[in-house]
Amino acid sequence: MTLAHDEAEVPARPWALLLGILVAVAAYFAGAWLTYPADVDPFRARRGLAVTMLVATYWLTGAMPLGAASLLPLVLFPALAIQPMSLVANSYADPILWMFFGGFVLARAIERFDLHRRMALHVIAGVGVRPRRLVLGFIVAATVLSAWINNTATALMLMPIGVALVDRIAKDGVLPPVHARRFSVGVMLGIAYGCSIGGLASPIGTPTNLVFFADSNYGAMVKAGAPELSFATWMAVFAPMSAVLALALWLMLTRWLHPLPRLASEGAADAIQRELRALGKMGRAERRVLLLFLATVTLWITRGNMGGVPGWESLVGLPRNHVTDGTVAVGMALLAFIIPSGQPARPTLMDWRTAASIPWDMYFLLAGGFAIAQSLDGTGLSRALSESLAPVMQGLDPLFALAVLIVFTTILSEIASNTAIASLLMPVLRATAGAAGLDPRALMLPAVLGSSFGFAMPIATPPNAVVFATGRVSLREMVRAGLALDVVCCAVLVGWCYLVVFPWLGISFDQVPAWAK
């Protein structure tokens, strides 16, 4: 789950604030060149475009903190008569945000009792003590944990374990210096990249996935008749792809970029076992958190219908979508405040002080993106933009268009917030697909997944920044490995979408579903 890491306080940037205003003014006048449908007020749509570009510029340049910039639509949309306050405020209470909140509280409960650390150590210990397998252990641990726990927390949790193991190997002289260096880089990059890859596996793995499901994006299409993409279906389609990418990462790091020998390391085994012994036996609190987490995942996976098998929502007679995955997340999070932990110092599995540490900047970033998406649809701007882009899409080979879209979003994710990118692209791609005679999912799904890539730069993702801050990976090593992984991930995603995702979900480049017309 790609979440913003704690930001150091930085002074306001006057040049960036001014740049945002200039970009907004330029966007307003440039909007006059768009072709607007007859039922659209061009001046209202152009004002919406100006505010969108202002917020996007502030997101990209850091003129304001992400969370603060994301609140601008609450003020500017009503003040400029673009959208009424009641409508804008609805985006800041989108059901997906409650899934984010509830999921984060459960993740905090897991971290609170070190359950995630125990799980990671057991995974690493289980793969063996050879250098190549140890790198694989860290990749698997990062991938599995980040499908459920935010990426930054996963990276911060695994990093001390990795550093201790790397130092122990270097101290014992088990590997020659050149191989010890390769092992160090492999472990560090395996942690960073595994965290980003794991986010693809589940709907809650990264905020970009949640952007796709928002009421203003795919949620609106479901209301129009599109088939619901359930939690179980998402995992069935994309968790195997995440596993393929994790395997590719391991082979790339240990066989090509930083080849390692097959020697076993007893020192590494001792270090891991020492960490496990320090945790002691699993206590009652850990067991209860684990059961609560497994119950939550089970309810998520079995809520909707899948493959003709009815989910529990329909079995108990609830109307469709009266209960959402957000309902489940909040309900199970509330249980964490009630269930006793068995520890006098921490009476229940969760307290409000811990829960209040939710990354509100990411919460508001998601909400601000939803508000922008709603305004693009509400003002007709997305239709105007789609009319300009549709002829280009119609003239491209479908496979080539898919590759270009994925590469484009990956490049953007190297320099900007992937959540912001997804928020800006989803409504435009949805409208463009309709105008071009395509299933909107054919553009939206590849773009939202591609926006989770971006492995080359330290600023691309918080896990990259965490790894780079250790000083154990040079910029050259990260850029070299990251660019190679970008290429691999883009190629795998193109093939996976074309050969697996589209056939499974019934997505066609040749036919527009009735609900998308």
Side-chain angles (χ1 to χ4, degrees):
M1 186 182 288
T2 308
L3 297 175
H5 56 292
D6 293 336
E7 300 178 33
E9 290 193 21
V10 295
R13 300 175 180 176
W15 66 269
L17 293 170
L18 178 60
L19 176 63
I21 295 172
L22 294 176
V23 168
V25 172
Y28 177 81
F29 287 107
W33 296 91
L34 295 174
T35 301
Y36 296 92
D39 60 340
V40 170
D41 178 358
F43 296 102
R44 177 170 168 248
R46 288 164 61 188
R47 292 195 299 273
L49 176 61
V51 173
T52 297
M53 294 309 298
L54 175 72
V55 175
T57 303
Y58 286 175
W59 278 342
L60 296 176
T61 62
M64 299 172 65
L66 276 177
S70 301
L71 293 173
L72 285 172
L74 270 176
V75 178
L76 296 180
F77 281 158
L80 297 177
I82 299 167
Q83 299 266 270
M85 181 63 175
S86 58
L87 185 59
V88 180
N90 284 341
S91 296
Y92 289 77
D94 190 286
I96 291 298
L97 294 173
W98 292 111
M99 185 177 181
F100 172 83
F101 175 83
F104 186 87
V105 171
L106 290 172
R108 272 287 189 257
I110 291 172
E111 297 169 26
R112 194 174 185 224
F113 296 99
D114 273 343
L115 176 60
H116 61 324
R117 186 178 180 85
R118 184 183 301 277
M119 293 165 61
L121 286 168
H122 277 293
V123 169
I124 297 166
V127 298
V129 295
R130 299 180 187 277
R132 291 179 185 175
R133 292 189 177 184
L134 286 169
V135 173
L136 176 62
F138 279 100
I139 292 173
V140 171
T143 302
V144 172
L145 289 174
S146 63
W148 310 101
I149 301 174
N150 82 70
N151 292 4
T152 311
T154 302
L156 289 171
M157 181 269 297
L158 288 175
M159 194 54 57
I161 303 173
V163 169
L165 183 59
V166 165
D167 288 347
R168 178 62 182 268
I169 293 242
K171 180 181 178 181
D172 291 349
V174 176
L175 296 174
V178 63
H179 287 155
R181 172 63 186 174
R182 291 174 183 174
F183 177 71
S184 175
V185 174
V187 169
M188 297 296 108
L189 292 181
I191 291 172
Y193 298 158
C195 288
S196 295
I197 288 172
L200 304 173
S202 78
I204 64 165
T206 172
T208 57
N209 296 351
L210 299 180
V211 170
F212 172 83
F213 284 100
D215 272 357
S216 52
N217 295 320
Y218 193 65
M221 292 191 286
V222 171
K223 293 175 182 176
E228 184 178 359
L229 183 53
S230 69
F231 200 102
T233 301
W234 180 285
M235 292 203 68
V237 174
F238 294 115
M241 186 187 75
S242 181
V244 169
L245 292 177
L247 178 61
L249 170 62
W250 175 60
L251 294 174
M252 187 183 73
L253 287 177
T254 61
R255 306 295 176 90
W256 174 36
L257 293 175
H258 305 283
L260 292 169
R262 297 173 58 86
L263 299 172
S265 171
E266 294 304 323
D270 291 342
I272 294 171
Q273 291 302 320
R274 188 165 54 250
E275 292 277 350
L276 281 170
R277 285 195 297 272
L279 288 175
K281 293 183 179 180
M282 181 179 285
R284 282 182 292 179
E286 284 182 89
R287 288 195 295 269
R288 291 170 184 176
V289 168
L290 179 60
L291 288 174
L292 184 64
F293 170 70
L294 293 176
T296 304
V297 173
T298 301
L299 289 173
W300 275 335
I301 292 175
T302 60
R303 181 182 67 85
N305 301 337
M306 182 180 177
V309 179
W312 59 262
E313 181 184 40
S314 60
L315 289 176
V316 299
L318 288 171
R320 185 185 180 192
N321 291 327
H322 270 228
V323 172
T324 68
D325 291 331
T327 311
V328 173
V330 173
M332 301 305 276
L334 290 176
L335 286 179
F337 290 98
I338 301 171
I339 297 174
S341 68
Q343 296 183 3
R346 291 178 287 190
T348 56
L349 298 182
M350 177 55 58
D351 62 13
W352 189 251
R353 180 187 297 274
T354 305
S357 64
I358 181 174
W360 292 105
D361 58 341
M362 188 56 59
Y363 181 96
F364 288 129
L365 175 60
L366 283 168
F370 297 164
I372 287 174
Q374 172 63 41
S375 76
L376 290 175
D377 276 346
T379 62
L381 182 60
S382 59
R383 284 187 287 158
L385 290 170
S386 68
E387 292 294 333
S388 302
L389 293 173
V392 178
M393 295 298 301
Q394 290 172 331
L396 294 177
D397 175 80
L399 190 58
F400 178 73
L402 179 63
V404 169
L405 177 62
I406 291 171
V407 170
F408 174 69
T409 54
T410 299
I411 291 172
L412 286 180
S413 67
E414 292 285 2
I415 58 175
S417 162
N418 49 17
T419 307
I421 292 167
S423 298
L424 294 172
L425 287 179
M426 287 301 99
V428 176
L429 292 175
R430 174 188 162 203
T432 299
L438 298 172
D439 188 322
R441 296 173 296 174
L443 300 182
M444 295 172 66
L445 279 171
V448 81
L449 292 166
S451 65
S452 289
F453 299 155
F455 303 101
M457 300 300 294
I459 63 169
T461 66
N464 283 16
V466 168
V467 163
F468 190 72
T470 66
R472 294 167 185 271
V473 178
S474 69
L475 180 60
R476 180 177 177 276
E477 289 167 332
M478 177 170 283
V479 170
R480 180 181 176 226
L483 289 176
L485 187 58
D486 279 340
V487 172
V488 170
C489 287
C490 287
V492 170
L493 181 55
V494 170
W496 198 268
C497 285
Y498 208 74
L499 300 175
V500 179
V501 179
F502 293 174
W504 190 316
L505 300 181
I507 298 173
S508 172
F509 275 106
D510 302 322
Q511 185 177 3
V512 184
W515 49 264
K517 293 179 181 178

